Amino acid sequence: MRTQLVDTSALHTAQGSARSLEAKLRASLEGEVRFDDASRALYATDASNYRQVPIGVVIPRTEEDVIRTVACCREHGAPVLARGGGTSLCGQCCNVAVVIDFSKYLNRILELDPAGRFARVQPGVVLDDLRDAAEKHGLTFGPDPSTHNHNTLGGMIGNNSCGVHSVMAGETVHNVIELEILTYDGTRMVLGAPDDAALEAIVAAGGRRGEVHARLRELRDRYADEIRRIFPKIPRRVSGYNLEALLPEKGFNVARSVVGSEGTCVIVLSAKVRLVESPRGRSLLVLGYPSVFEAADHATELMKHGPIGLEGIDDRLVADMKAVGLHPQDVKLLPEGGGWLLVEFGGKDREESHAKAREAMKALEKAGHAPTMKLFDDAKEENLIWEVRKSGLGATAHVPGKPITWEGWEDSAVPPERLGEYLRKLRALLDRYGYACDLYGHFGQGCVHTRIDFDLETRSGIATFRRFLDDAAHLVVSLGGSISGEHGDGQSKAALLPIMFGADLMRAFGEFKRIWDPGNRMNPGKVVDAYQPDENLRLGTSYDPPAVKTQFAYPDDQGDFGRALLRCVGVGECRKKSGVMCPSYHATHEEMHSTRGRAHLLHEMLQGTALKGGWRSEPVREALDLCLSCKGCKKECPVHVDMATYKAEFMARHYAGRIKPRAAYLFGYIDRWARLASHAPGFVNALTQSSLTAGIAKALGGVHSARRIPSFAAETFTTQFARRPPAASAAARVVLWPDTFNEHFHPEVALAAAEVIERHGFRVTLPREPLCCGRPLYEFGLLDEARAYLERILDALAPEIEEGVPIVVLEPACASVFHDEMTNLLPGRERARRLARQVFPFADWLAQQRPAEAHGTLAHRKAVVHAHCHHRAVLGLDGYEAMLKRAALDYELLDSGCCGMAGAFGFEREKYDVSIKCAERVLLPAVREAAQDTLVIADGFSCREQIAQCTGRRPLHLAQVLAGHLTAS
């Protein structure tokens, strides 16, 4: 077996060391060159079971940078690996090589021709960016894997990606027209499908291009019969090299022959790709069967009706979704059954697509033994069902009470007419090995997805895993299928290719590779001359993370911090451009600032091989320092990675026994400083607001000069509330939580909330003593103090907890402490669990009450609404939107993610630029574009502060709006 070199800092290549290669690259490139341990650790794995620490990382700014990078590597004999979004499931994107990351800069659409129905793109273009641009012309790029919102076209070409709508448009290989490529020897050429005359001209012209084409033609001629005989005639075959494309009947398409070659032959510099018509009308028909096997049996029958998508899911997937709380309401939309087909029809409009669906329903009814059927009329419900299907990975990777599941036999494919037979035999094989998994996938094309609970840590478990792969490969080949129907070979399946293709075609694959890359320097060890599936495992028998006595309980991960870090399976959903996560990645486009990157660094830190320093590691601290703790990953990550909690855990250990940053003392203890300031707010404000002293105050506090330190209120909310006439003592009681920010900075918000609650017939009371949830403490790892704050709250509110009195919280970040951190820091405390059930965000509590009198003159009043990221991620927006609708507001709920202020984050000098970039992505432009009479609503103190400081607008809390206080004081 090959031995993976972990420490490559002194790796000697053919003509020098990695150190001299790094120096040469730095001198030659405009782009970024990163050979440090942290960068290498970041790129050591992808979404697969494998881990190989690269020599270094290059992030090219220009095409010329790519050419120079390969030239420098060639001079030093170093392997290269082209990488896009790093979402590959089979190990294609990790190697001991110089990784070239195209995603940060080389991500432009170079040309889009609606009339010609094509586009030219750089390899780093995100698929959804191309699709969004094409949709403006009624077109789309057909293949659409589930990672479409963050995977790149270069990666799709490398893997020959497919997706739901390859039923409509084929695999990526069917949608490539031309490729501009670079070989390891420095040759650039454009690949296409030359006719006989053009091919003769290319060969006659000589040079490297002529030589390549001549040798490919000769290879084709020698192996044509074997290619025709062996290659399976099925809709999905993503295993091996695309030698079929070289056949005369396929037009000797050289461009398509390198699609799916996983970076082992060429580097794509640009691609001309086909665009297809995007159906304006789309209708979803869901069919329920007794089991997934019967659903698979009927897939070919449904294909006769011309769907544009045909997916299948089984009952185990639905059960696991319920177990992890993923889309629990959405699965109720499914018709009765134990296996389902999701059938999508397209048309020029909704009427036409619905007509096709109804025609299919009638045919099924006529045939007898019809499945249960549901044709959806609501586009929102349709999207929810598709989310159920797309969430297969998240639903199956980490299910409470079950072992972690892994890729390895993730995407096999058979002739669709044999799919039911294959699933029955595959389930029997899995049962024989004692493996459990869910089954789902692209049933219209016979492709099956699954993650399996392999033991990849013990010698016996790994040996069993290896035997299973051999047996599964023989099974799928016996049915005329393909080992891979979507995700390629990489390292997971490449060693199994002889079972599928035989010795002759394996020799042909080797010759094909050597025509392009005779020195085996392009992503070596993948596809041909491949590593075995049990080599270079991310876990393996040496996996032994140290036991960590954690501050948090990690109840969903058996209290094991190392297991919690394994949640990240690397699919990179955190790199998407919408939603909440990951705001700092949105700002910097740096892998280290994605949730995935941070999780990988923490994993490497715990292992202590590629990344040294343990909990004192500065690279890990640097990566986590720009985490805004938005908690978006906890909801939007398909496997619920909770980076805010991991960050707090790390910071507690990183700074244990050491002096902490100034911000920790200034902002972490803001409740204490605020109580002190409340004794002389005028004096404090004079110091922080005066042009003479404000600069000094900001410098001392590490606050960016462009920021304004918020003013303290002349009187606290508690003081003003005490002067109000008491409500009727017989009324039901509600505790209004006076959080630090609305108590000391914006008391008008809490006063408005009290007014609205009383309007609903309740009596408002306050805690008997000053309390703080301690939210700012978590950012700096002050977890002992945070726990003490929570213990104090439990003692102070003991009577209210026992009486079951609702506690209404205005600040979403505070409410999330009670619903999230409290039970995690105080596991087993029944009083903490009861308090969590009694704490309600303001809007959520109101939504449960009978409507009071009309809320002023809000009907049809326009409003731009920014929801706090914790409200979205932890608390949910159902109650919030219910109150916006009850108020009859004409509102737009922005997809603005995190505001970028995030408590202390946006004030700190070093983080100001990132803070502003987060806000400028959606929030600030939307506020600036809103008419002056449009209400701007934001419940978070930080969110309102960011908006006010950057736009001059005065945003309102929902409580102020509902109270009719439409001008902020």
Side-chain angles (χ1 to χ4, degrees):
M1 294 175 65
R2 295 172 176 84
T3 300
Q4 165 64 43
L5 293 175
V6 173
D7 181 9
T8 59
S9 60
L11 176 72
H12 283 274
T13 56
Q15 299 181 35
S17 69
R19 195 176 300 279
S20 66
L21 172 58
E22 177 186 7
K24 180 72 172 181
L25 287 166
R26 290 188 183 281
S28 305
L29 306 184
E30 294 179 37
E32 300 164 22
V33 178
R34 303 175 181 179
F35 277 51
D36 58 284
D37 288 347
S39 295
R40 292 167 52 234
L42 275 172
Y43 289 81
T45 190
D46 47 14
S48 72
N49 298 334
Y50 302 99
R51 172 182 177 273
Q52 291 176 281
V53 182
I55 300 168
V57 179
V58 169
I59 303 177
R61 289 182 180 272
T62 64
E63 192 175 277
E64 190 60 34
D65 271 352
V66 180
I67 295 165
R68 289 171 181 161
T69 297
V70 173
C72 291
C73 290
R74 185 169 64 249
E75 180 182 329
H76 287 74
V80 297
L81 165 58
R83 173 166 156 148
T87 61
S88 293
L89 278 160
C90 299
Q92 298 96 317
C93 285
C94 54
N95 214 328
V96 183
V98 173
V99 174
I100 306 173
D101 183 347
F102 286 84
S103 63
K104 187 174 181 180
Y105 298 118
L106 293 176
N107 53 21
R108 292 186 298 121
I109 300 172
L110 302 172
E111 180 184 5
L112 198 155
D113 184 340
R117 293 196 171 188
F118 71 84
R120 283 198 314 114
V121 298
Q122 292 181 313
V125 168
V126 169
L127 173 58
D128 270 4
D129 289 348
L130 174 60
R131 295 204 304 171
D132 290 346
E135 283 287 353
K136 296 174 183 176
H137 307 282
L139 302 172
T140 191
F141 185 74
D144 59 341
S146 60
T147 52
H148 54 82
N149 60 5
H150 60 283
N151 71 354
T152 66
L153 266 293
M156 292 182 69
I157 292 166
N159 277 9
N160 191 17
S161 299
C162 308
V164 171
H165 293 106
S166 57
V167 166
M168 174 180 74
E171 303 161 355
T172 296
V173 68
H174 303 125
N175 295 277
V176 166
I177 301 170
E178 288 181 350
L179 296 176
E180 181 189 6
I181 62 95
L182 175 71
T183 60
Y184 189 79
D185 62 14
T187 303
R188 295 174 65 180
M189 63 180 92
V190 175
L191 306 180
D195 58 24
D196 290 344
L199 177 58
E200 289 297 340
I202 291 171
V203 173
R208 181 76 166 108
R209 184 173 181 234
E211 175 203 351
V212 165
H213 282 73
R215 292 180 64 188
L216 289 175
R217 181 174 60 183
E218 191 271 335
L219 175 75
R220 183 271 316 271
D221 292 342
R222 277 192 292 116
Y223 289 100
D225 290 343
E226 193 74 354
I227 292 169
R228 294 185 184 102
R229 186 177 72 83
I230 296 293
F231 270 66
K233 307 301 185 287
I234 58 176
R236 290 288 192 96
R237 192 274 312 152
V238 187
S239 282
Y241 289 131
N242 274 315
L243 301 188
E244 277 187 313
L246 298 176
L247 295 174
E249 59 268 32
K250 300 292 185 180
F252 193 70
N253 198 315
V254 180
R256 291 184 176 182
S257 75
V258 296
V259 172
S261 57
E262 302 180 1
T264 62
C265 296
V266 301
I267 292 175
V268 175
L269 298 176
S270 68
K272 182 179 180 181
V273 296
R274 178 175 74 120
L275 302 177
V276 298
E277 184 177 348
S278 179
R280 298 293 89 187
R282 295 175 185 243
S283 299
L284 176 62
L285 171 64
V286 180
L287 308 174
Y289 295 86
S291 75
V292 72
F293 308 120
E294 285 87 350
D297 290 336
H298 285 82
T300 52
E301 183 64 28
L302 268 299
M303 284 297 293
K304 295 175 184 177
H305 296 277
I308 62 173
L310 178 53
E311 302 292 289
I313 59 177
D314 74 354
D315 55 339
R316 298 189 186 194
L317 176 66
V318 171
D320 283 345
M321 284 186 176
K322 292 177 181 178
V324 299
L326 194 64
H327 309 297
Q329 299 303 314
D330 308 352
V331 297
K332 294 178 182 178
L333 297 172
L334 295 170
E336 184 179 348
W340 294 266
L341 293 180
L342 281 55
V343 195
E344 186 177 41
F345 294 93
K348 65 178 184 295
D349 53 30
R350 181 84 160 183
E351 183 178 345
E352 182 179 358
S353 61
H354 254 42
K356 292 179 181 178
R358 291 192 183 99
E359 182 182 332
M361 295 171 74
K362 288 178 183 176
L364 290 169
E365 288 169 349
K366 280 184 182 179
H369 303 290
T372 58
M373 294 184 272
K374 183 173 182 179
L375 176 60
F376 287 81
D377 287 313
D378 184 286
K380 184 176 181 181
E381 287 188 346
E382 289 181 23
N383 290 333
L384 292 176
I385 292 295
W386 283 119
E387 284 301 316
V388 169
R389 162 59 187 88
K390 286 167 56 180
S391 298
L393 171 65
T396 60
H398 291 262
V399 179
K402 294 185 178 183
I404 299 174
T405 60
W406 305 94
E407 66 91 1
W409 192 250
E410 211 280 334
D411 65 325
S412 52
V414 295
E417 63 272 16
R418 304 193 74 175
L419 180 60
E421 177 187 2
Y422 174 58
L423 289 184
R424 290 177 177 91
K425 290 182 175 179
L426 177 61
R427 179 62 75 190
L429 179 64
L430 289 160
D431 290 345
R432 193 166 79 241
Y433 274 89
Y435 289 141
C437 68
D438 305 340
L439 299 172
Y440 56 99
H442 311 295
F443 281 17
Q445 294 191 311
C447 183
V448 181
H449 289 313
T450 186
R451 292 177 68 88
I452 301 173
D453 56 349
F454 298 123
D455 170 7
L456 299 179
E457 295 185 44
T458 68
R459 186 171 298 279
S460 62
I462 294 169
T464 302
F465 157 71
R466 186 66 178 85
R467 289 195 303 272
F468 169 82
L469 293 183
D470 285 340
D471 286 349
H474 283 290
L475 170 61
V476 76
V477 171
S478 74
L479 296 178
S482 174
I483 290 168
S484 173
E486 177 133 32
H487 296 136
D489 302 315
Q491 185 171 340
S492 292
K493 309 185 193 80
L496 305 174
L497 292 180
I499 296 172
M500 179 175 171
F501 290 104
D504 286 346
L505 282 184
M506 290 307 298
R507 280 193 294 274
F509 289 161
E511 290 180 36
F512 183 80
K513 157 82 167 170
R514 287 189 291 276
I515 288 170
W516 297 104
D517 177 33
N520 193 27
R521 298 287 81 190
M522 301 286 289
N523 203 11
K526 311 298 162 85
V527 186
V528 295
D529 299 321
Y531 291 104
Q532 295 296 311
D534 51 359
E535 292 183 86
N536 302 322
L537 290 169
R538 193 193 305 193
L539 300 187
T541 55
S542 63
Y543 176 68
D544 186 26
V548 178
K549 190 176 187 310
T550 58
Q551 294 268 13
F552 290 99
Y554 303 100
D556 295 332
D557 295 295
Q558 303 170 12
D560 185 338
F561 188 66
R563 181 185 170 93
L565 295 181
L566 290 179
R567 279 190 169 273
C568 180
V569 294
V571 295
E573 182 73 7
C574 43
R575 291 168 59 101
K576 63 188 174 68
K577 298 182 179 181
S578 60
V580 179
M581 74 165 182
C582 183
S584 50
Y585 176 78
H586 290 157
T588 68
H589 303 291
E590 288 284 352
E591 176 71 13
M592 70 183 293
H593 297 141
S594 67
T595 303
R596 176 179 71 179
R598 292 178 173 122
H600 284 173
L601 285 177
L602 284 166
H603 174 81
E604 294 290 345
M605 175 204 80
L606 214 58
Q607 288 293 94
T609 51
L611 197 59
K612 305 296 184 182
W615 297 97
R616 296 292 203 223
S617 169
E618 275 303 305
V620 177
R621 184 207 60 78
E622 181 185 350
L624 289 172
D625 197 40
L626 282 190
C627 170
L628 288 88
S629 299
C630 67
K631 293 184 178 286
C633 50
K634 185 164 186 176
K635 180 178 182 180
E636 296 177 9
C637 169
V639 285
H640 307 305
V641 169
D642 185 1
M643 192 52 62
T645 298
Y646 305 167
K647 173 186 177 179
E649 188 81 60
F650 173 84
M651 292 301 182
R653 288 176 167 273
H654 185 77
Y655 287 114
R658 297 200 291 176
I659 296 176
K660 297 168 180 61
R662 274 181 298 178
Y665 302 102
L666 179 63
F667 294 107
Y669 297 110
I670 185 64
D671 64 304
R672 303 179 189 183
W673 300 119
R675 282 200 296 275
L676 284 173
S678 68
H679 296 294
F683 173 72
V684 175
N685 289 338
L687 292 176
T688 60
Q689 308 303 313
S690 166
S691 58
L692 296 176
T693 55
I696 298 172
K698 285 188 275 191
L700 291 173
V703 174
H704 194 277
S705 59
R707 287 297 187 195
R708 180 177 65 251
I709 298 176
S711 298
F712 288 93
E715 286 186 303
T716 65
F717 159 65
T718 301
T719 300
Q720 296 181 60
F721 183 82
R723 291 202 300 267
R724 299 170 79 253
S729 59
R733 183 159 71 103
V734 170
V735 173
L736 181 60
W737 179 262
D739 64 88
T740 295
F741 303 103
N742 290 313
E743 167 77 355
H744 295 284
F745 297 96
H746 291 170
E748 67 277 7
V749 170
L751 289 166
E755 180 182 327
V756 173
I757 293 170
E758 290 173 350
R759 191 186 294 167
H760 281 73
F762 291 84
R763 177 167 57 94
V764 175
T765 63
L766 307 182
R768 284 171 289 278
E769 60 182 273
L771 297 172
C772 176
C773 72
R775 161 60 63 200
L777 298 170
Y778 296 91
E779 303 311 302
F780 307 101
L782 298 167
L783 299 184
D784 290 334
E785 292 89 338
R787 188 179 290 104
Y789 275 44
L790 294 173
E791 293 280 10
R792 183 180 174 192
I793 291 169
L794 293 180
D795 291 341
L797 295 181
E800 284 78 8
I801 297 171
E802 292 174 11
E803 293 174 29
V805 178
I807 291 100
V808 175
V809 180
L810 297 169
E811 175 62 43
C814 297
S816 75
V817 169
F818 295 113
H819 284 267
D820 189 352
E821 282 89 354
M822 181 172 66
T823 54
N824 205 348
L825 271 181
L826 302 175
R829 292 292 302 276
E830 180 58 31
R831 186 178 288 178
R833 286 195 289 266
R834 290 168 64 187
L835 176 58
R837 291 194 293 269
Q838 289 172 230
V839 167
F840 298 90
F842 173 72
D844 295 57
W845 181 82
L846 279 183
Q848 296 177 16
Q849 314 310 316
R850 295 182 62 183
E853 65 214 53
H855 302 291
T857 56
L858 298 179
H860 309 301
R861 183 76 182 267
K862 288 188 178 296
V864 169
V865 182
H866 168 74
H868 190 284
C869 47
H870 288 196
H871 213 148
R872 288 182 184 271
V874 178
L875 309 169
L877 294 180
D878 289 349
Y880 195 65
E881 287 209 74
M883 290 310 301
L884 291 168
K885 291 172 182 175
R886 188 182 293 181
L889 285 163
D890 178 9
Y891 70 93
E892 177 189 4
L893 182 61
L894 301 174
D895 182 16
S896 44
C898 182
C899 70
M901 187 66 91
F905 186 96
F907 286 96
E908 293 182 58
R909 185 184 301 115
E910 299 82 4
K911 300 171 184 175
Y912 174 80
D913 289 343
V914 170
S915 171
I916 295 299
K917 285 180 180 177
C918 291
E920 289 289 359
R921 187 172 67 90
V922 173
L923 176 59
L924 297 183
V927 172
R928 293 189 192 105
E929 291 167 10
Q932 285 301 308
D933 60 348
T934 296
L935 299 176
V936 178
I937 303 175
D939 278 10
F941 169 80
S942 294
C943 310
R944 295 196 301 277
E945 198 64 32
Q946 181 82 301
I947 293 168
Q949 293 205 17
C950 295
T951 70
R953 298 288 292 266
R954 300 300 301 178
L956 301 168
H957 190 286
L958 181 62
Q960 295 170 285
V961 175
L962 298 181
H965 303 172
L966 302 185
T967 56
S969 59

